[in-house]
Amino acid sequence: MNLRVDSKDTYDQFSKECLSNNFDFWMKRSRLFSWFKEPETVLTGEFSKGNIKWFEDGQLNITVNALDRHVKKNPDKIAIHWEPNDPAEPIKTFTYKEVLENVCKFANVLKDHDVKKGDRVCFYMSMVPELLFGVLACARIGAIHSVVFGGFSAKALSERINDCEASVVVTVNEGPRGNKTIPLEEITKEALETCKSVKHTFVLKRTNKKSSSEFKQLNGLLDSAGSECEPEVMNAEDPLFILYTSGSTGKPKGLLHTTAGYMTWAAETYKNVFQANDNDIFWCSADIGWITGHSYIAYGPMLNGSTQVMFEGIPTFPDAGRFWQVIDKYKVTHFYTAPTAIRALQACDERFVDQADLSSLKVLGTVGEPINEEAWHWYHTKIGKELCPIVDTWWQTETGGIMISSMAGITPSIPCQATTPLPGIVPELVDNEGRVIEEQEAEGNLCISIPWPGMARTIYGDHERYLQTYFSTYEGKYFTGDGAKRDLVGNYRITGRVDDVINVSGHRIGTAEVEDAINEHEQIVESAVIGFAHDIKGQGLFAFVIGDESKSDDDLLSSVNLEITKQIGPIAKLDGLVVVPGLPKTRSGKIMRRVLRKVHEGNLDQLGDTSTLLNPEVVEIIIKKMRK
Ligand code: PRX
């Protein structure tokens, strides 16, 4: 019994069943896992107050479910095919038994350095197998992992280490990425100058470069560590990990996920959405530094005993055929990637696709941002040969796993639509006044009206901000920050963020965060950042800045981008800027980014009434400057 959605009828039945008896529905699913103590409760707490507990009295360890139970049944099944950045380097393959041994070794190294249940361990690494082992090692001993994407700057890293008071940091000497190497150890060294909580820092030697710091050398420690480690008994609601994401203020939010609910959601969503079978090969091209890599590399596929590819590289190295070569090499059946990568590869020579045999593919997936028609059709036709359903999966760091998506081959894929909610998810569209829109065909702000197991329980160290951000806009509901359209038969199309968050290449970037970074530039007094439609990245970043008007915009752009790279990392670099004498503001001093967006788009007839602004004259000047 795996309770998988295996037909349109079971989808309808499960969706109904969950609504009419949520308790039984989730209780049955909880029994699919291995527990030290099976839970008797399902859901407690109060959703509308942002206080939710799932399976609260259960005790378990997630790694027993992701590893030990598969090792018992099928120890030699391949868990991971690791594909290095450079295809000339040797690949690595790990069976479930070997992953468990490696996880235990890592866990023992952490224990030997006094890491205990509840301690925070920060990973700042490239996509090496040891990142996966380290994350699962934390889960093995009850430490809380916090993975920081290797593209963040020293300052961003230190902010994240300090926010959760991590006592351990794990990095690599260098992270190969395309034809570059990212000096992760150097960056960590710089970050640690301002981190008081850190007691131990480990560095893994990934390349030949000699380590330049006093950090503990991980390779030797792992080699000599014992390969068995008893799993820590965890309560269902014990924290599993923290993952930082951007919000509408400058300070990143550390979303906290807990053990049993997250496990259930990652496992169930992987199983139902992708419909992978025992012999299938799953490949999610995300980095473990983002939630997609947590739920659909580190946890979802492992909890289901799948075989997967873990990829260290980038789509265009050594050439733009790399994704397709990797699919061919491992005979990947399920491929999950971001629209931005699809658009970038679509723009390359078709020969790169044609040279690879993609006949192993059965299911394609997208995640992270809305996909445009053209990219969807190219993915469907050129990559999937019109044979593979596409699952357009809508979800967020906060939701822990997929929320709205078709289920491969079970419910219909519709171009550019996430389609229908997973069983147990109840989306609602709400208008700006907070009224639930009852009409079936509608557009509004997307909320979720009942709890689901995978939801983040809090923002680490700031429950007030959690309540404020997600539960205060629309009473009694979780507000996603996204807008959506619903059609007559109940399919959802996500239209994008409705708050001050911009989605660049599938990565969430807060306007306030970028503005704070720009304002650190010595020639800039104030700035306003907007998102605009970008052919490859989905959205690009553009800034209106008040500053030194004697400099050309281009000169200023490069030096501002250096500042952003220093403050946040290259992922938040601007695509353009213009120097302006003032920013349009309301009488209460709020910057009218909407007006700036319209000016940038050239939609001057949609500016609205600017006469009520504090400084309406500035809009005319900005329009003139943009025309130049
Ligand atoms: O705006 C939505 C967009 O990505 C946001 C969540 O970003 P993050 O927490 O970084 O997680 C990304 C990976 C799950 C959402 O608020 N988004 C995510 N998936 C889709 C999407 N927009 C449209 N369609 C999607 N399939």
Side-chain angles (χ1 to χ4, degrees), residues 245 290-292 366-371 392-398 418 480-482 494 496-497 503 506-508:
T245 187
W290 308 110
I291 190 69
T292 307
T366 68
V367 57
E369 47 175 324
I371 184 165
D392 175 349
T393 62
W394 173 81
W395 59 295
Q396 311 179 295
T397 305
E398 293 84 345
T480 64
D482 278 320
I494 310 302
R497 300 289 306 193
N503 199 327
H507 303 318
R508 260 160 83 163

Side-chain angles (χ1 to χ4, degrees), residues 170-207:
V170 188
T171 188
V172 292
N173 62 339
E174 293 182 307
R177 204 172 154 70
N179 51 20
K180 296 192 190 132
T181 40
I182 317 288
L184 294 167
E185 180 177 357
E186 284 298 312
I187 302 173
T188 306
K189 232 164 71 177
E190 192 188 329
L192 290 184
E193 284 168 15
T194 52
C195 299
K196 289 208 181 75
S197 57
V198 178
K199 294 192 194 119
H200 301 289
T201 305
F202 298 94
V203 59
L204 180 89
K205 193 164 183 300
R206 165 67 185 93
T207 66

Side-chain angles (χ1 to χ4, degrees), residues 32-205:
L32 299 172
F33 298 100
S34 169
W35 300 82
F36 297 124
K37 177 177 174 290
E38 287 196 335
E40 297 305 323
T41 64
V42 169
L43 176 62
T44 45
E46 227 175 314
F47 182 59
S48 61
K49 302 227 164 92
N51 166 24
I52 277 298
K53 296 182 168 71
W54 283 86
F55 313 114
E56 195 189 359
D57 58 343
Q59 291 185 325
L60 74 163
N61 186 290
I62 191 168
T63 67
V64 171
N65 287 288
L67 299 171
D68 305 57
R69 59 179 182 149
H70 309 311
V71 172
K72 252 192 217 152
K73 270 205 247 156
N74 200 354
D76 298 327
K77 177 164 182 179
I78 291 172
I80 305 287
H81 290 289
W82 180 75
E83 171 74 10
N85 175 62
D86 184 342
E89 271 194 84
I91 64 165
K92 291 183 185 173
T93 301
F94 301 91
T95 62
Y96 269 91
K97 181 166 170 277
E98 289 164 341
V99 174
L100 178 58
E101 283 166 3
N102 279 289
V103 167
C104 288
K105 279 169 173 271
F106 208 131
N108 284 328
V109 170
L110 294 175
K111 275 167 85 170
D112 289 347
H113 291 81
D114 218 24
V115 178
K116 299 207 167 50
K117 181 173 173 179
D119 289 349
R120 276 78 60 213
V121 176
C122 173
F123 292 87
Y124 183 64
M125 301 180 90
S126 51
M127 281 286 282
V128 284
E130 289 77 4
L131 170 58
L132 175 77
F133 303 152
V135 158
L136 294 174
C138 285
R140 188 82 175 171
I141 62 172
I144 304 170
H145 57 80
S146 164
V147 185
V148 177
F149 175 62
F152 281 110
S153 68
K155 179 155 181 285
L157 174 62
S158 67
E159 265 169 23
R160 286 158 176 76
I161 292 172
N162 287 333
D163 185 78
C164 69
E165 296 176 295
S167 59
V168 170
V169 175
V170 188
T171 188
V172 292
N173 62 339
E174 293 182 307
R177 204 172 154 70
N179 51 20
K180 296 192 190 132
T181 40
I182 317 288
L184 294 167
E185 180 177 357
E186 284 298 312
I187 302 173
T188 306
K189 232 164 71 177
E190 192 188 329
L192 290 184
E193 284 168 15
T194 52
C195 299
K196 289 208 181 75
S197 57
V198 178
K199 294 192 194 119
H200 301 289
T201 305
F202 298 94
V203 59
L204 180 89
K205 193 164 183 300

Side-chain angles (χ1 to χ4, degrees), residues 274-292:
F274 294 104
Q275 299 283 326
N277 290 321
D278 265 358
N279 297 322
D280 285 338
I281 312 285
F282 180 78
W283 177 23
C284 164
S285 73
D287 192 290
I288 294 183
W290 308 110
I291 190 69
T292 307

Side-chain angles (χ1 to χ4, degrees), residues 188-339:
T188 306
K189 232 164 71 177
E190 192 188 329
L192 290 184
E193 284 168 15
T194 52
C195 299
K196 289 208 181 75
S197 57
V198 178
K199 294 192 194 119
H200 301 289
T201 305
F202 298 94
V203 59
L204 180 89
K205 193 164 183 300
R206 165 67 185 93
T207 66
N208 287 329
K209 186 169 184 262
K210 264 193 99 182
S211 185
S212 62
S213 66
E214 301 297 300
F215 298 165
K216 297 190 170 65
Q217 303 296 311
L218 190 57
N219 309 58
L221 291 168
L222 288 173
D223 283 346
S224 55
S227 58
E228 281 178 27
C229 173
E230 279 302 302
E232 183 78 25
V233 177
M234 303 295 286
N235 291 319
E237 281 294 335
D238 279 340
L240 177 65
F241 67 85
I242 298 168
L243 188 59
Y244 287 89
T245 187
S246 297
S248 44
T249 71
K251 192 174 182 286
K253 304 180 279 198
L255 272 315
L256 182 89
H257 284 278
T258 56
T259 306
Y262 174 81
M263 172 184 78
T264 308
W265 197 239
E268 282 290 298
T269 54
Y270 171 79
K271 180 174 75 185
N272 287 328
V273 171
F274 294 104
Q275 299 283 326
N277 290 321
D278 265 358
N279 297 322
D280 285 338
I281 312 285
F282 180 78
W283 177 23
C284 164
S285 73
D287 192 290
I288 294 183
W290 308 110
I291 190 69
T292 307
H294 278 59
S295 301
Y296 301 107
I297 299 178
Y299 290 108
M302 305 296 289
L303 287 162
N304 281 279
S306 286
T307 299
Q308 62 175 324
V309 174
M310 178 175 177
F311 179 49
E312 185 186 37
I314 59 168
T316 48
F317 178 79
D319 59 43
R322 188 67 188 284
F323 268 8
W324 322 128
Q325 291 148 18
V326 172
I327 292 174
D328 189 350
K329 181 168 175 180
Y330 296 98
K331 302 295 167 216
V332 168
T333 54
H334 291 64
F335 179 52
Y336 190 33
T337 195

